[in-house]
Amino acid sequence: MTEMVALASAAPTASHKAPVKNRPQRDWVIVGLWIALLITALFWLVPFFVMVLTSFKSQGDLANGSTLGLPASWLWENYASAAQTGDLWITGTNSLLVAVIKVPLGLFLAALAAYALARIRMKRAKLIVAFFAVGSMVPIQVALGPMFQLLLKANMLDTYIGLIIPYLAFGVPYQIFMMYGSFRAIPDSVEESARLDGASTFRIFWQICLPLVKPTLAALFVLDFVATWNEYAMASTILQSNMMSTIPLAVQNFSSQHGTEYGPLNAFIIMTAIPVLIVYLLFQRYFVSGAFTGAVKG
């Protein structure tokens, strides 16, 4: 009798076991993407880490051959001597002035053209967009010779305006092609409502449509600033004096004249990259969402 009672009391306990929670399956695709991201980050961070360490080392530290080793004494004067030797303040001012004028002006002109092609009904608009797309694929090297002859005849060599105009000519077509898709993605009802309220075409462009494509503008701003800051081919063709040199020409001159001074050379390269890093950090939250916005709607 006692055994039957024990079995009866044990039966419900066995039948009401706590349910086992299903463990979420590991997504190996995500794991693989993280591994690829870490490997890519290492490929970029290790050379940058070596560059930063080298910028603080003396010639004696570099002669010892310890690439990843810490310097015996941190030479902050490498940065001061590099800035003075490479005329960083002059060349940096030249590059900053060109970028500050060219980048906003180019984006404004491209936005006007892209809005007209995307929102104003006209014949063969897509053919014109295709023409701009082809124009953005033309390599700069093809036009260096004719461009030099034209600027020479116009007496615009070694001037800011002579550098900014070619930059605009080669930068605007790509920006028009990218912003065309962003403007096309805006619903027609937005513009129709504004027109019913009496808004003009320019007001619709400036106050309604342009803020809606802000991510694309931010992404293009970062890309265009980096491209303008680092451009070498046209700058080396148009600019002829040291007082007009931009950052890429200054790095080339520093490398050719003081290439064995690895500490100051790496310090100079790091200082020239700081403005680009600042611009990216300011616009990074828009960059990812805006980089692939173009061509959403054809």
Side-chain angles (χ1 to χ4, degrees):
M1 185 69 178
T2 307
E3 294 178 357
M4 295 177 63
V5 172
L7 291 172
S9 61
T13 306
S15 61
H16 290 83
K17 290 183 178 180
V20 179
K21 295 183 179 180
N22 293 327
R23 295 182 179 178
Q25 294 183 353
R26 182 170 296 175
D27 193 341
W28 291 105
V29 175
I30 300 298
V31 174
L33 290 175
W34 274 106
I35 294 174
L37 180 63
L38 291 174
I39 294 174
T40 305
L42 285 176
F43 274 116
W44 185 86
L45 289 174
V46 170
F48 183 76
F49 178 72
V50 172
M51 184 185 299
V52 172
L53 286 180
T54 306
S55 67
F56 290 101
K57 291 182 179 181
S58 63
Q59 292 294 104
D61 293 329
L62 295 171
N64 293 332
S66 56
T67 305
L68 296 176
L70 296 176
S73 59
W74 297 79
L75 298 181
W76 290 93
E77 54 266 27
N78 283 347
Y79 284 83
S81 63
Q84 183 177 3
T85 304
D87 293 327
L88 180 64
W89 309 121
I90 296 175
T91 56
T93 301
N94 293 336
S95 290
L96 188 61
L97 181 62
V98 171
V100 166
I101 296 175
K102 183 264 174 182
V103 175
L105 180 60
L107 288 176
F108 180 69
L109 295 175
L112 287 174
Y115 175 80
L117 292 170
R119 309 303 302 180
I120 300 176
R121 294 182 179 179
M122 62 179 68
K123 294 181 179 180
R124 299 182 179 86
K126 291 186 178 181
L127 182 62
I128 299 174
V129 174
F131 176 77
F132 281 116
V134 173
S136 65
M137 301 176 189
V138 176
I140 295 175
Q141 291 76 11
V142 174
L144 289 180
M147 179 182 64
F148 179 83
Q149 295 295 330
L150 287 174
L151 294 176
L152 178 62
K153 292 179 181 179
N155 197 24
M156 295 173 64
L157 288 176
D158 205 32
T159 61
Y160 292 121
I161 189 68
L163 186 62
I164 291 174
I165 290 177
Y167 280 177
L168 289 173
F170 281 90
V172 167
Y174 173 76
Q175 295 168 354
I176 293 175
F177 177 70
M178 292 297 296
M179 279 193 282
Y180 173 80
S182 298
F183 281 120
R184 287 282 293 172
I186 299 174
D188 295 335
S189 58
V190 175
E191 188 171 343
E192 292 171 358
S193 300
R195 290 194 183 279
L196 290 176
D197 293 336
S200 62
T201 301
F202 183 79
R203 185 177 179 184
I204 294 173
F205 161 76
W206 185 256
Q207 295 185 352
I208 298 175
C209 291
L210 201 61
L212 292 176
V213 298
K214 187 184 295 183
T216 304
L217 285 173
L220 289 175
F221 185 91
V222 174
L223 293 173
D224 197 25
F225 186 89
V226 173
T228 302
W229 187 267
N230 294 328
E231 201 284 321
Y232 175 79
M234 282 193 286
S236 62
T237 303
I238 298 171
L239 303 178
Q240 300 176 338
S241 64
N242 292 331
M243 294 299 296
M244 291 296 298
S245 294
T246 54
I247 286 296
L249 300 182
V251 173
Q252 174 64 28
N253 293 334
F254 197 107
S255 178
S256 60
Q257 297 177 12
H258 308 278
T260 58
E261 301 176 11
Y262 296 108
L265 176 60
N266 284 271
F268 189 76
I269 294 174
I270 290 173
M271 287 187 291
T272 59
I274 291 176
V276 175
L277 181 62
I278 292 174
V279 169
Y280 177 76
L281 292 176
L282 290 175
F283 293 92
Q284 65 171 334
R285 67 180 210 169
Y286 298 108
F287 184 78
V288 176
S289 60
F292 304 103
T293 304
V296 170
K297 190 175 181 181

